[in-house]
Amino acid sequence: MPLSFGPEICQDPAAAERREWLATNGIGGFACGTLAGLLTRRYHGLLVAALRPPLGRTLLVAKLDTTVRIGGREFPLYTNRWADGSLELAGLKHLTRFRLEGAIPIWTYQIGDAHLERAIWMEPGANTTYVRYQLVEAARPLSLAAQALVNRRNYHGETRAGGLELSVRSVEQGLEVAVQPAEAPYYLFAQEARVEPATEWYRDFYLAVEAERGLGAVEDHLHAGQFSAELAPGDSLTFVLTADPSADLDGDEALARRRRYEARRMEAVPTLTEAEVQAGARHGLVQAADAFIVRRALPDDPDGRTVIAGYPWFSDWGRDTMIALPGLTLATGRARTAARILRTFAHHIDQGMLPNRFPDEGETPEYNTVDATLWFFEAVGACYEATGDEALLRELTPALLEIIDWHERGTRYQIRVDPADGLLRAGEPGVQLTWMDAKVDDWVVTPRIGKPVEVNALWYNALRRAAGFARELGEDPARLEALAERARAGFARFWDEELGYCLDVLDGPQGDDPALRPNQLFAVSLPHSPLTPRQRKAVVEVCGRRLLTPYGLRSLAPDHPNYIGRYIGDRRARDGAYHQGTVWSWLIGPYVMAHLRVYRDPAQARTLLAPLLEHLNDYGLGTVSEIFDGDPPHTARGCFAQAWSVAELLRALAVLDSMQAETN
């Protein structure tokens, strides 16, 4: 059953504007917008092309403002908000239904007896978006006209008229748009439509969400031309918005091709039952997962893979990729993709570190993370457990052992094992190395210099994983086991008997940090735990009592003096709240895993996921948001589609389904 809304949502401007759709192409490009059609972010557009896949993302086509004419009367189907406060909402009057069919958003407009549908999707592997209108039912033909609004800017930027020179010319079946003088042109096609070129700037679109975020909120787009056509009942008209002059213009075939692609994704899932398909939630999550997996070519492997951390603004991050890998790939039957991702990142290991981020501009990775590399061990272990791929394990193990050696002798940012207790120390002033990595100019909000609890849970787990890999390959694990045992003994320092939970950071510049954060959960949820059973239970209980919300876990307990309950305001205010109380939905996965380890009650654990499954109908449609306010009602914020949020929900569901199958 596809996600679907009727007029109660579609014709409510606030409800329709809040909900956002996403289409992706598997090479980093995307299209996204609001259900209402209003542009509210600088990232909204029908074609955001990845001109240097998977990055170089550039807004090319902002929107198509469509009007239909029936019997001499005109009916606008578009919406706009302007900087002077005025609104054009007439298009919502005729919007009676919105639904997702797989990953394809479809709008239904009812104009008298005319039933018109619009569908949007992207071609896998190409910077091409299709926008298809079909007159499903009507007593007579109608005329359709669409004004094409275009741009050419970095997707983080903003454009004002006069700051960008675009030229438009007619080509066969469409328009060519170019930036003077040098960059490659792009195209807008529509078979059998009449085209009238134009070069008029539409000024002062008001981007409400950007205003809320304290960023530039006014933008101009160029009206490049008008397409018009007559549709008889049953006819369709497809717009092809593309960076490829040879793109397939057959909309029906392109739609069939996209549906075949999505069907193959579903066929790969080994444990998806018919009941789950009918329920829709996990079925939809499998489609949502596909949006994040994109191509990143290597010199020796043009089919390398990586993970986009979140839409609409993140690139591929090492930490997010390794955390998300089991849920996005192994839980969806894509083990070969998992192996490609691991090989891609192994290619970029440097001084015993995985890259944290590939910048939007340029190819030099950034190596400013302590935990991404340790998550790499867990991703390799999960992949091996799922596939038994000994060849992959043998290929990657030398890199894993080299990582351990670098961490013993020391690598960037003072990352080094402390010989006194076997724990991993990391950090220096001015850098943020853990997943709590907000930084505003020179202000590192949560520096966590010293020995962070989750880093050392990951370090212990990585050593145990490496020892297990050695045994599997017939090698002697004794040295690795000894390192792990030292780390386990040293980890006892984190436990504070009086507090009844783990300290967050040991041996920091100001001493130990007793703040109650969710980071200690990884000492319970990871396969190898350094805590005693009594301590594990206490950690789960205190996190459940003071950090758990319906949508994930708070990043800081509400009674802490630094707690901030709402993620709002300008960049400084938002980043100041990012890890100081904001709820992170991806943490529901570790919490469920820890809960299962302590209570062994899959039925109870499953109830913890219900609110996030319901959330698929809100904010990012069919996907999971990055963050939520720490205070009720826990409003969704940040990226409307986040890789590790989707992945951890999928992973938890897969584990619970497997446990249920074993019980039955």
Side-chain angles (χ1 to χ4, degrees):
M1 296 176 62
L3 180 152
S4 179
F5 302 113
E8 74 286 351
I9 295 294
C10 294
Q11 295 180 5
D12 179 337
E17 178 181 353
R18 172 176 172 75
R19 291 165 168 82
E20 298 178 67
W21 58 271
L22 173 69
T24 61
N25 64 0
I27 59 172
F30 64 92
C32 68
T34 63
L35 189 161
L38 290 167
L39 301 177
T40 65
R41 301 183 190 268
R42 62 187 61 186
Y43 305 96
H44 285 161
L46 293 175
L47 178 58
V48 181
L51 299 180
R52 296 185 302 279
L55 303 177
R57 287 174 285 187
T58 304
L59 175 66
L60 299 181
V61 182
K63 65 196 307 250
L64 296 172
D65 275 355
T66 305
T67 301
V68 299
R69 179 185 290 270
I70 303 175
R73 294 185 61 193
E74 288 190 347
F75 302 90
L77 304 184
Y78 58 85
T79 58
N80 286 305
R81 176 185 281 113
W82 306 103
D84 64 5
S86 60
L87 281 164
E88 293 178 310
L89 297 177
L92 294 186
K93 296 178 182 178
H94 310 291
L95 181 58
T96 57
R97 188 184 178 204
F98 173 91
R99 67 188 188 277
L100 283 181
E101 289 189 357
I104 301 173
I106 300 175
W107 292 256
T108 299
Y109 298 93
Q110 196 76 37
I111 309 154
D113 62 5
H115 173 182
L116 182 70
E117 288 192 345
R118 177 181 65 168
I120 299 176
W121 70 95
M122 295 194 80
E123 179 73 22
N127 286 312
T128 300
T129 301
Y130 291 91
V131 183
R132 182 177 186 265
Y133 289 87
Q134 182 178 25
L135 186 55
V136 177
E137 186 177 10
R140 53 183 170 173
L142 61 74
S143 298
L144 183 147
Q147 294 174 310
L149 299 171
V150 304
N151 208 311
R152 190 183 183 112
R153 62 155 170 81
N154 180 282
Y155 74 140
H156 292 309
E158 53 194 72
T159 299
R160 300 310 306 266
L164 178 66
E165 292 188 20
L166 294 172
S167 66
V168 180
R169 72 181 184 94
S170 295
V171 294
E172 186 177 358
Q173 302 186 89
L175 298 172
E176 177 191 84
V177 184
V179 177
Q180 298 299 331
E183 297 189 46
Y186 60 97
Y187 303 88
L188 296 83
F189 296 115
Q191 286 184 321
E192 302 179 4
R194 299 181 300 278
V195 185
E196 299 176 21
T199 51
E200 177 187 3
W201 283 95
Y202 282 24
R203 301 170 185 263
D204 297 340
F205 289 89
Y206 186 70
L207 309 177
V209 173
E210 302 301 337
E212 291 174 4
R213 291 165 55 83
L215 301 172
V218 180
E219 175 139 52
D220 304 335
H221 296 296
L222 181 71
H223 174 214
Q226 179 168 289
F227 293 78
S228 56
E230 281 69 47
L231 296 181
D235 285 353
S236 64
L237 174 68
T238 301
F239 294 90
V240 185
L241 318 174
T242 183
D244 179 6
S246 62
D248 184 1
L249 305 189
D250 186 333
D252 291 342
E253 176 54 34
L255 180 58
R257 195 162 55 242
R258 179 73 204 191
R259 284 176 169 156
R260 289 194 297 270
Y261 171 86
E262 293 187 3
R264 289 195 298 272
R265 287 283 155 264
M266 299 311 305
E267 290 168 0
V269 184
T271 59
L272 198 64
T273 67
E274 181 62 28
E276 288 169 327
V277 171
Q278 291 301 316
R282 191 168 168 214
H283 181 281
L285 282 170
V286 173
Q287 298 290 4
D290 184 64
F292 303 101
I293 300 171
V294 301
R295 188 179 303 139
R296 176 174 276 281
L298 296 172
D300 57 349
D301 182 9
D303 205 29
R305 289 291 189 271
T306 186
V307 170
I308 294 295
Y311 293 96
W313 55 70
F314 285 132
S315 59
D316 47 340
W317 292 63
R319 174 190 299 117
D320 299 60
T321 296
M322 294 306 129
I323 291 172
L325 183 144
L328 296 186
T329 61
L330 303 177
T332 61
R334 302 180 67 172
R336 291 180 62 187
T337 299
R340 281 199 172 104
I341 292 170
L342 293 172
R343 290 187 174 102
T344 298
F345 275 82
H347 176 86
H348 291 284
I349 292 173
D350 184 79
Q351 295 183 40
M353 295 177 68
L354 225 63
N356 188 37
R357 188 173 79 95
F358 293 93
D360 288 323
E361 303 294 338
E363 292 300 318
T364 304
E366 296 177 358
Y367 292 87
N368 56 347
T369 169
V370 62
D371 52 343
T373 310
L374 305 177
W375 280 111
F376 184 56
F377 286 77
E378 184 54 26
V380 172
C383 189
Y384 181 69
E385 288 172 354
T387 65
D389 187 345
E390 185 175 313
L392 178 68
L393 187 64
R394 193 171 295 277
E395 176 185 343
L396 296 178
T397 292
L400 298 176
L401 296 177
E402 183 183 4
I403 287 169
I404 292 171
D405 289 343
W406 270 103
H407 281 62
E408 280 191 279
R409 66 177 182 263
T411 184
R412 298 175 177 91
Y413 304 116
Q414 310 300 315
I415 299 172
R416 186 175 184 177
V417 174
D418 185 343
D421 56 14
L423 298 178
L424 201 60
R425 171 186 289 278
E428 57 188 37
V431 295
Q432 65 284 25
L433 299 181
T434 74
W435 80 274
M436 293 186 162
D437 59 356
K439 183 179 181 181
V440 185
D441 300 323
D442 294 330
W443 176 37
V444 178
V445 182
T446 50
R448 304 183 73 226
I449 296 171
K451 300 169 183 174
V453 63
E454 82 282 7
V455 169
N456 282 283
L458 283 161
W459 173 240
Y460 172 73
N461 186 72
L463 293 169
R464 291 294 187 199
R465 281 289 200 186
F469 299 156
R471 282 192 294 271
E472 291 289 334
L473 298 177
E475 305 292 340
D476 183 3
R479 173 177 169 274
L480 296 166
E481 292 283 14
L483 288 172
E485 185 55 31
R486 286 184 62 221
R488 186 200 63 76
F491 198 91
R493 295 185 56 214
F494 281 100
W495 184 256
D496 187 299
E497 192 64 42
E498 183 176 347
L499 292 174
Y501 59 79
C502 289
L503 300 170
D504 190 58
V505 180
L506 293 178
D507 301 339
Q510 284 78 48
D512 299 341
D513 183 1
L516 177 58
R517 296 186 183 273
N519 302 307
Q520 61 191 293
L521 270 174
F522 298 104
V524 186
S525 65
L526 288 166
H528 300 280
S529 170
L531 296 176
T532 68
R534 180 183 69 84
Q535 291 168 344
R536 294 173 198 163
K537 184 177 181 182
V539 166
V540 174
E541 286 182 347
V542 73
C543 289
R545 187 171 66 253
R546 298 172 61 185
L547 301 179
L548 181 66
T549 75
Y551 302 111
L553 275 77
R554 295 183 180 95
S555 45
L556 183 64
D559 58 358
H560 192 282
N562 292 339
Y563 174 82
I564 302 173
R566 298 185 69 200
Y567 179 82
I568 57 174
D570 62 15
R571 180 188 169 206
R572 187 175 184 85
R574 287 181 285 108
D575 281 354
Y578 208 32
H579 301 105
Q580 299 286 57
T582 295
V583 171
W584 289 78
S585 51
W586 78 276
L587 294 173
I588 199 66
Y591 184 79
V592 165
M593 295 301 108
H595 191 281
L596 287 171
R597 170 171 267 181
V598 168
Y599 296 109
R600 304 184 186 279
D601 186 347
Q604 178 63 29
R606 190 180 291 272
T607 65
L608 299 169
L609 305 178
L612 277 174
L613 293 175
E614 293 174 3
H615 170 69
L616 300 178
N617 296 307
D618 185 46
Y619 204 48
L621 296 174
T623 188
V624 186
S625 306
E626 177 191 12
I627 53 176
F628 299 77
D629 284 344
D631 289 347
H634 307 297
T635 302
R637 309 283 187 185
C639 281
F640 60 77
Q642 191 78 359
W644 58 14
S645 303
V646 170
E648 283 299 273
L649 186 54
L650 267 168
R651 183 172 74 100
L653 285 169
V655 168
L656 291 168
D657 290 343
S658 177
M659 294 177 70
Q660 182 177 350
E662 292 174 2
T663 301
N664 295 340

